[in-house]
Amino acid sequence: MKNFYRILVLVALCFVFLTACSEPPKPESTVDKYMAAWQKQDFKSMYDMLDSKSKKAISKKEFVDRYTTIYGGIEAADLKVKASGKVKQNEKQEEKAETSYSVKMNTLAGPVDYTHNIKLNLEEKEDTESWRIEWNPSHIFPQMKEGDKISASSIAPKRGAILDREGNPLAVNGTAYEVSIVPQELPEDQSKTIVPLAKILGMTPEEVQKKLDQPWVKPEYSVPIKKMQTDNPDIQKAVALEGVQSPKAETRLYPLGEAAAHLTGYIAQVNADDLKKLEGKGYTAQDFVGKAGLEKLYEEQLRGQAGGVIKVLTSEKEEKAVVAENEVVNGKDVKTTIDSGVQKSIYAQLQGDVGTSSAIHPTTGEVLALVNSPAYNPNEYTLGMTEAVSKKWRDNPKNPSLNRFVYTYAPGSVLKPITAAIGMENGTLNPSDVMNVSGKSWQKDKSWGKYTVTRVSAVPNVNLEKALIYSDNIYFAQAALKIGQEPFVNGLKKFGFGEDLPLANPSTIGEEGMTEVQLADSGYGQGKVEMSPLHLGISYTPFLNNGNLLKPQILQDEAGGQPTVLKENVISEETAAILRDDMSKVVSNPAGTAHDAYMAKLPLAGKTGTAELKASKEDKNGMELGWFVAYNTQNPSLLVTMMIEDVKGRGGSHYLVPKVKKVFQDYQPKS
């Protein structure tokens, strides 16, 4: 009897199990899986969920290729797909169901957002029932029907120009000749065109041939080889060759060339790394982006916003519907405070040397020039960089690609007016007090070992005025020691040390672990002090602005010809007046280190400096950096800071004095 009951229980359990197993599948499960695959753009999995009728209408390859091509063409991003309603089964035909879904995405034509219906059919295959998607082209976009196609096009914005203070172009959209070859029009012996053309363009025949061997090239296509500026006389030689054309094409041009290369920077086609950094900002592989200088710094403003349109076309290519559209927004011009005349004048003086320079308006803080030498020609990037030019720059030991004005350097004696100002403000330096040191070397005491501070002239009875005229290292070493490390560092911070400046790294002072010797050396611009040329110029602004340190400004809209104070009351007006008078004598006094810059009708004030770069204290052959900072005392509308490397044996800082003098002679201030 017990066995009988056991059998009954077993039968009942099997009945329950079979009943559960035979429960029909739910359409919601298929919908959820389909939407999830769609959002992942897993088009193969989507196809696997289609019903038999849909699969007869379109193959898996056609289905996948269609979605891939359309989504790629419209630059679909941030795709969101989800069921937006309940699945409803047909009351009369239970094997049919319907629901709605929503799609959101970003595209080259802006956001796309739509809701649409989707049908499902219950199909049986190999004794298994499952819900399947009934697909048609309207699922891609509701406006689509069989035979329709999608057209997507983007409209590139016109890049804004970079202008100087007078509206003259520093970077501008211009035209150039795009030297091209039509392969089918080449002579039978193609070398008769390729070899001379390569020579004209500064390329190798192999570089030209590589352009012609690109996968997309067809015999009738015009293949761009390189651009030439419209004033290049060699263009006539190029087009005279069989098979060569030279239509005009838009290109980015840099009228000042090398003179403003590191300032303007350049644009180039985006690469894979750029696309990663710029993800979500609408860039494509065909776009150009600012790679350096102002082109990079103000990329967002200069670039503008691309426009685009996505359309549904009939099989006859007639417009049927617009899916999405946004208007192009052209880039805005960047009008700077740069003076092209000063920029070119300084570059002319630096050419042939390794160095850098900045120029500012000392009573407004406007940046008038930022210059490097050697430099590269930014037009090479937009006209078409050749391997020969690229190799020349790479192999040049002077590194013309290096942007020197953003770096910091030991300033040498041009720091001395700042040290003096800090000492006077802290009450440790009295301008009339006399330092009595005989000879050209000095040390505080025997704890310094063999190390001594040296000076060029053994001038007795040195006060502040003489210390600046003769550039006495010992005087300013003692001044720094009297100030003390912490007050000295704090004083430098008031002059902008550690501040972020446009187009320059912050100037630094070694705050921790500074020895007594390093503090003494720092007082005359060696030791632990480093400055950028732009900051050095800005650090002189308290001497001409009632003790206020001005903020450097490079955008004319922000500057407006008016100063912006970065730090107020850095020094007193009395301190500023004393130092202005002393720096004037550095030039006017025949014994002054900058006397070669003296001009009765164009009086200058300033300070020279030579910084020694030694690998060790025992190194006697270290490189020297020469500095000169100067401004016009009668019309203080220009202050020039110049640094040139390797001036040892060339007069040290004296090598720079006539160069800076020439810049002031060339300068034509606008009233």
Side-chain angles (χ1 to χ4, degrees), residues 403-614:
N403 186 0
R404 288 173 168 82
F405 63 66
V406 304
Y407 291 102
T408 58
Y409 309 85
S413 297
V414 289
L415 187 74
K416 289 173 179 175
I418 298 172
T419 300
I422 296 170
M424 283 190 278
E425 292 301 307
N426 278 274
T428 59
L429 189 153
N430 186 326
S432 60
D433 284 352
V434 173
M435 177 193 74
N436 293 302
V437 173
S438 60
K440 294 184 177 181
S441 63
W442 171 85
Q443 62 176 198
K444 181 185 176 186
D445 52 43
K446 297 298 181 182
S447 67
W448 285 16
K450 294 182 179 180
Y451 186 76
T452 60
V453 177
T454 60
R455 59 181 176 176
V456 175
S457 303
V459 181
N461 306 320
V462 177
N463 60 9
L464 176 60
E465 179 184 307
K466 286 185 177 180
L468 286 169
I469 290 172
Y470 290 96
S471 198
D472 195 311
N473 290 344
I474 297 175
Y475 181 94
F476 289 99
Q478 290 187 5
L481 292 173
K482 289 178 182 177
I483 295 169
Q485 179 179 328
E486 187 175 345
F488 182 60
V489 170
N490 290 336
L492 290 175
K493 287 180 178 179
K494 289 182 179 179
F495 276 88
F497 275 76
E499 296 287 334
D500 288 327
L501 303 175
L503 295 168
N505 286 326
S507 296
T508 60
I509 173 71
E511 297 183 46
E512 297 179 4
M514 192 189 301
T515 66
E516 196 173 55
V517 168
Q518 288 171 334
L519 175 59
D521 285 345
S522 296
Y524 57 93
Q526 296 274 175
K528 304 276 279 187
V529 185
E530 287 193 356
M531 302 184 77
S532 70
L534 177 57
H535 175 233
L536 183 53
I538 288 295
S539 70
Y540 273 51
T541 59
F543 305 137
L544 292 93
N545 293 279
N546 301 315
N548 295 325
L549 181 77
L550 301 187
K551 178 183 178 181
Q553 303 181 89
I554 199 163
L555 293 183
Q556 201 168 80
D557 289 345
E558 293 180 3
Q562 298 299 314
T564 297
V565 176
L566 187 63
K567 293 181 183 290
E568 292 184 346
N569 303 319
V570 172
I571 57 175
S572 67
E573 175 53 33
E574 182 183 4
T575 296
I578 291 170
L579 288 168
R580 283 199 304 271
D581 184 58
D582 289 348
M583 285 190 286
S584 178
K585 291 173 182 175
V586 169
V587 178
S588 63
N589 191 305
T593 57
H595 186 62
D596 287 346
Y598 177 71
M599 296 175 283
K601 295 183 179 180
L602 188 58
L604 302 182
K607 186 71 189 75
T608 58
T610 305
E612 296 179 332
L613 305 181
K614 297 181 178 181

Side-chain angles (χ1 to χ4, degrees), residues 73-109:
I74 67 174
E75 298 175 20
D78 302 322
L79 180 65
K80 300 285 188 297
V81 186
K82 67 176 182 178
S84 53
K86 291 183 179 180
V87 179
K88 297 179 181 179
Q89 285 186 250
N90 192 304
E91 293 180 359
K92 295 181 179 180
Q93 296 175 295
E94 293 184 353
E95 71 279 5
K96 293 184 179 292
E98 188 172 340
T99 188
S100 62
Y101 65 92
S102 64
V103 174
K104 292 182 180 180
M105 69 179 94
N106 291 321
T107 71
L108 60 79

Side-chain angles (χ1 to χ4, degrees), residues 640-651:
V640 177
T641 301
M642 184 178 287
M643 185 278 287
I644 293 179
E645 297 180 12
D646 198 21
V647 294
K648 192 169 187 176
R650 299 195 289 167

Side-chain angles (χ1 to χ4, degrees), residues 94 132 159 218 228 241 244 262 318 336 388 400 416 436 483 513 592 633 649:
E94 293 184 353
R132 297 278 173 173
R159 194 173 183 86
K218 292 184 179 181
M228 297 177 73
L241 297 169
V244 176
H262 299 88
E318 294 179 353
T336 71
K416 289 173 179 175
N436 293 302
I483 295 169
T633 59

Side-chain angles (χ1 to χ4, degrees), residues 161-182:
I162 301 175
L163 308 171
D164 77 355
R165 64 192 301 107
E166 298 300 321
N168 300 311
L170 299 173
V172 67
N173 301 321
T175 56
Y177 290 113
E178 189 164 67
V179 180
S180 307
I181 291 177
V182 181

Side-chain angles (χ1 to χ4, degrees), residues 339-352:
D339 185 313
S340 290
V342 176
Q343 186 81 21
K344 290 187 287 187
S345 176
I346 291 176
Y347 182 71
Q349 296 306 311
L350 282 177
Q351 266 189 298

Side-chain angles (χ1 to χ4, degrees), residues 111-125:
V112 170
D113 184 353
Y114 65 86
T115 300
H116 195 48
N117 293 332
I118 191 167
K119 294 180 179 179
L120 297 92
N121 295 306
L122 185 64
E123 294 187 344
E124 184 176 339
K125 186 177 182 181

Side-chain angles (χ1 to χ4, degrees), residues 27-97:
E28 288 85 355
S29 176
T30 297
V31 171
D32 290 342
K33 289 178 182 177
Y34 190 78
M35 299 301 163
W38 192 347
Q39 185 159 307
K40 293 177 183 176
Q41 297 189 43
D42 182 0
F43 305 128
K44 291 181 180 179
S45 295
M46 289 171 63
Y47 185 83
D48 292 339
M49 287 182 259
L50 302 188
D51 65 9
S52 55
K53 182 181 177 181
S54 300
K55 287 183 177 179
K56 286 180 182 178
I58 187 169
S59 70
K60 188 171 188 176
K61 184 178 186 306
E62 290 172 331
F63 181 89
V64 172
D65 287 351
R66 192 168 191 183
Y67 269 96
T68 302
T69 301
I70 290 175
Y71 277 26
I74 67 174
E75 298 175 20
D78 302 322
L79 180 65
K80 300 285 188 297
V81 186
K82 67 176 182 178
S84 53
K86 291 183 179 180
V87 179
K88 297 179 181 179
Q89 285 186 250
N90 192 304
E91 293 180 359
K92 295 181 179 180
Q93 296 175 295
E94 293 184 353
E95 71 279 5
K96 293 184 179 292

